[in-house]
Amino acid sequence: MGGDVKLEDIKLSDLRVNSANDRHGELVDEDAAIEWLLKHRTLHMQNLAKDIISTGEIYEPPLVHPHNGHFIVYDGNRRTTVLKLLDDPQRAPSSDWAEFFSDLRKNWTGAFPSTVECQIEEDRDRLDEILYRRHTGQQSGVGQSQWDAEAKSNFEKRTGKKTKINVAEEIERLLVSSGRLENELKIPRSNLNRLLSAEQFRNRAGIAVDSNKLRYTHAEEKVLNALERIARDLASRTITLEDIWDNDSKRAYLNKLDQEKVLPRSEDALARTAPAKAKSTQTKTSQTKTFHNESKPSSDPGKRRHLIRNLDFGLQQTQNNRKILDIFNELQHRLKFDEHDNAIAVLFRVLLELSLEHYIKGASVPDIQKGENLSGKYRKALRHMFEAGKFEKKQFEALKKFEKGDPLFSTTTLHSYVHSADFFPSDHHLKSMWDTLEGFIVNCLKA
């Protein structure tokens, strides 16, 4: 039953703490992943380190996958981090942490181990299934730490698991009903779901998930052409799981299709999304009724608990944007309306200001004066983006209104949320402002 478990002693120096761990999403490197764990799981990491010193062992082998001559840890990143820092305390990201691990190391009896027994899993599909069944108990940080909402979200975005709609199944129906795919052709649905696990990747293929239904964002013919190519690449094993394992490899594959002019282009974009439905014998009346029902907004404002929608915006952490992305993640996953309204309003203002500074510096925006206010920086950064071709004229004109426009939709509003004792946050306002500024802020962070 199941595959054989392969256990092997691996050099500690050959293990890599996973910089794309589902706990935090993609970070710049192993050091950033170690710092994230120490910052966001401080007490757990301290307890785990003390437990390893007192017992002299770890009780579950890390789950690893071989890659480019070393082994990436997929389960056991906390254990691996503790062992690496006990082995070399000076590698810790701060003097306090270096002192903590150095003091603990003095209590280790005998030679410190240079190898770790690990469970090696070469089959990436099986690796995900193992991960999916773990993380059920915390034990104050000594045992496995349960994934929080952000980690679960990252896992589901990366793998395409546990979505309400089976995107691959819907695509297969579209292609078969349009005569583009023969019934007997077997598409590896799990791989197709993985490739299209996030809205950013679905959009490139010309589709979106809205109100738990598949919709076209671009001209149907162009979209079906692209989906047929993707389906045939996967069915023929031209593209395998290894080729679309993480976000970088997904982007590389989609970029290749884009260069080959397989994917829909900007000129193919629809003014509004349209239902993506398999050909059927529905009457004209029932089709009209269905379109009306499916055209409802994708989000009920009364049920939206976070400022930032739970989408993968394709943001990559760098040395310069770590704090900004920490704030972004708090607004996307942790702070909830009705519980943290003031905190959301203040952090939204901070996010906008820091994002602007990041863009101004990264894109070398000219004519920024020392001490210039938020409104001026916003105006100049927006103009710079427009001239760089990041926005069309219509979008540019709409975003210009934020500088001074409507008193309830402006930089002045955000300023009042922070500095006025009589100006109280409105969740509807904040959501509306975020939805309008979303593309601008994301562009800032990608500079």
Side-chain angles (χ1 to χ4, degrees):
M1 182 175 66
D4 293 333
V5 174
K6 182 180 179 183
L7 296 174
E8 187 175 310
D9 287 338
I10 297 174
K11 289 181 180 179
L12 185 57
S13 59
D14 287 341
L15 294 178
R16 296 289 183 272
V17 176
N18 195 342
S19 61
N21 187 349
D22 290 308
R23 288 188 191 280
H24 47 62
E26 293 183 60
L27 300 179
V28 63
D29 56 20
E30 182 185 43
D31 287 335
I34 288 174
E35 183 176 350
W36 190 97
L37 288 171
L38 295 176
K39 177 181 177 181
H40 294 273
R41 297 290 185 272
T42 302
L43 183 60
H44 284 191
M45 297 299 286
Q46 290 172 340
N47 288 342
L48 179 58
K50 292 172 184 176
D51 181 71
I52 289 174
I53 288 292
S54 65
T55 61
E57 61 178 303
I58 59 175
Y59 287 94
E60 289 189 70
L63 177 66
V64 303
H65 177 76
H67 180 72
N68 290 344
H70 51 259
F71 295 84
I72 297 176
V73 179
Y74 278 86
D75 194 47
N77 281 284
R78 293 192 309 122
R79 282 162 273 164
T80 304
T81 294
V82 167
L83 290 173
K84 281 177 173 280
L85 295 180
L86 285 171
D87 180 59
D88 181 10
Q90 296 310 312
R91 189 176 174 185
S94 71
S95 57
D96 288 343
W97 276 112
E99 184 179 353
F100 172 80
F101 283 102
S102 182
D103 288 345
L104 272 184
R105 172 65 186 273
K106 294 172 185 175
N107 298 320
W108 185 271
T109 303
F112 194 78
S114 60
T115 62
V116 182
E117 184 182 54
C118 296
Q119 178 182 345
I120 300 174
E121 184 53 65
E122 298 187 13
D123 184 334
R124 285 184 148 168
D125 234 347
R126 187 167 185 273
L127 189 152
D128 271 346
E129 295 301 329
I130 295 170
L131 287 175
Y132 194 54
R133 288 161 176 77
R134 292 187 178 180
H135 301 275
T136 56
Q138 296 190 36
Q139 303 171 40
S140 299
V142 174
Q144 286 187 313
S145 180
Q146 188 174 5
W147 282 347
D148 58 16
E150 183 180 351
K152 290 175 183 175
S153 172
N154 285 329
F155 179 85
E156 289 165 7
K157 286 174 185 173
R158 180 172 65 82
T159 63
K161 286 183 178 291
K162 207 177 180 181
T163 52
K164 291 182 180 178
I165 179 176
N166 189 321
V167 173
E169 189 174 312
E170 294 300 314
I171 289 173
E172 191 170 324
R173 284 178 185 158
L174 285 175
L175 294 175
V176 170
S177 69
S178 64
R180 293 169 177 271
L181 211 65
E182 49 273 26
N183 273 309
E184 59 271 17
L185 187 68
K186 299 298 180 185
I187 302 174
R189 289 182 179 175
S190 62
N191 287 359
L192 184 53
N193 276 328
R194 175 184 288 273
L195 173 64
L196 304 177
S197 61
E199 202 71 354
Q200 62 163 310
F201 303 124
R202 293 193 283 268
N203 288 168
R204 293 196 66 183
I207 57 174
V209 173
D210 187 356
S211 298
N212 202 32
K213 290 185 169 52
L214 199 67
R215 300 180 70 82
Y216 292 119
T217 61
H218 291 68
E220 179 177 352
E221 188 73 12
K222 300 284 189 177
V223 174
L224 290 176
N225 286 342
L227 293 177
E228 180 185 358
R229 167 64 183 276
I230 291 169
R232 291 192 181 279
D233 279 354
L234 292 172
S236 65
R237 308 294 176 184
T238 302
I239 297 297
T240 65
L241 179 63
E242 193 75 22
D243 299 310
I244 53 170
W245 174 250
D246 56 19
N247 286 348
D248 283 342
S249 56
K250 292 174 192 176
R251 290 186 195 104
Y253 171 58
L254 292 171
N255 288 343
K256 177 177 177 291
L257 294 185
D258 195 36
Q259 289 166 6
E260 295 176 17
K261 299 185 177 179
V262 172
L263 300 182
R265 318 295 288 185
S266 58
E267 58 266 25
D268 303 319
L270 302 176
R272 61 179 296 179
T273 63
K277 299 177 65 177
K279 307 293 182 186
S280 68
T281 56
Q282 283 183 299
T283 64
K284 185 174 182 180
T285 302
S286 66
Q287 286 176 333
T288 303
K289 183 178 180 182
T290 302
F291 181 84
H292 175 74
N293 289 340
E294 289 181 352
S295 297
K296 292 179 181 178
S298 62
S299 180
D300 178 356
K303 294 181 181 179
R304 179 169 158 194
R305 301 298 308 279
H306 303 282
L307 177 71
I308 302 176
R309 299 176 191 276
N310 188 21
L311 302 173
D312 184 346
F313 291 94
L315 300 175
Q316 300 294 310
Q317 190 172 79
T318 66
Q319 191 70 30
N320 297 325
N321 70 9
R322 287 188 193 180
K323 181 177 179 179
I324 309 174
L325 290 192
D326 277 348
I327 293 171
F328 192 98
N329 286 332
E330 286 182 28
L331 290 170
Q332 186 176 30
H333 296 290
R334 296 175 190 168
L335 298 179
K336 298 178 181 178
F337 287 113
D338 298 330
E339 296 179 32
H340 312 109
D341 289 25
N342 287 298
I344 291 171
V346 171
L347 274 187
F348 187 5
R349 159 71 189 244
V350 174
L351 176 66
L352 177 59
E353 191 140 15
L354 292 181
S355 299
L356 270 169
E357 293 289 350
H358 181 75
Y359 181 79
I360 288 168
K361 184 177 180 180
S364 300
V365 178
D367 301 324
I368 302 294
Q369 305 301 315
K370 185 176 181 180
E372 188 155 9
N373 63 17
L374 178 65
S375 179
K377 291 176 183 176
Y378 175 82
R379 180 177 66 255
K380 291 174 182 178
L382 179 61
R383 168 66 65 178
H384 188 273
M385 283 187 192
F386 175 62
E387 290 174 352
K390 296 183 183 297
F391 293 117
E392 296 178 359
K393 182 70 172 177
K394 185 177 180 181
Q395 293 172 290
F396 173 66
E397 293 297 334
L399 285 166
K400 274 175 64 177
K401 296 177 182 177
F402 182 71
E403 183 198 344
K404 293 178 180 176
D406 186 327
L408 293 176
F409 179 75
S410 65
T411 53
T412 304
T413 305
L414 284 179
H415 182 82
S416 298
Y417 278 147
V418 175
H419 297 287
S420 173
D422 301 315
F423 199 87
F424 292 92
S426 159
D427 62 333
H428 297 294
H429 259 154
L430 289 166
K431 291 170 188 173
S432 177
M433 278 196 285
W434 167 259
D435 291 345
T436 302
L437 292 173
E438 179 183 275
F440 174 81
I441 292 176
V442 170
N443 269 314
C444 283
L445 294 177
K446 290 182 176 180

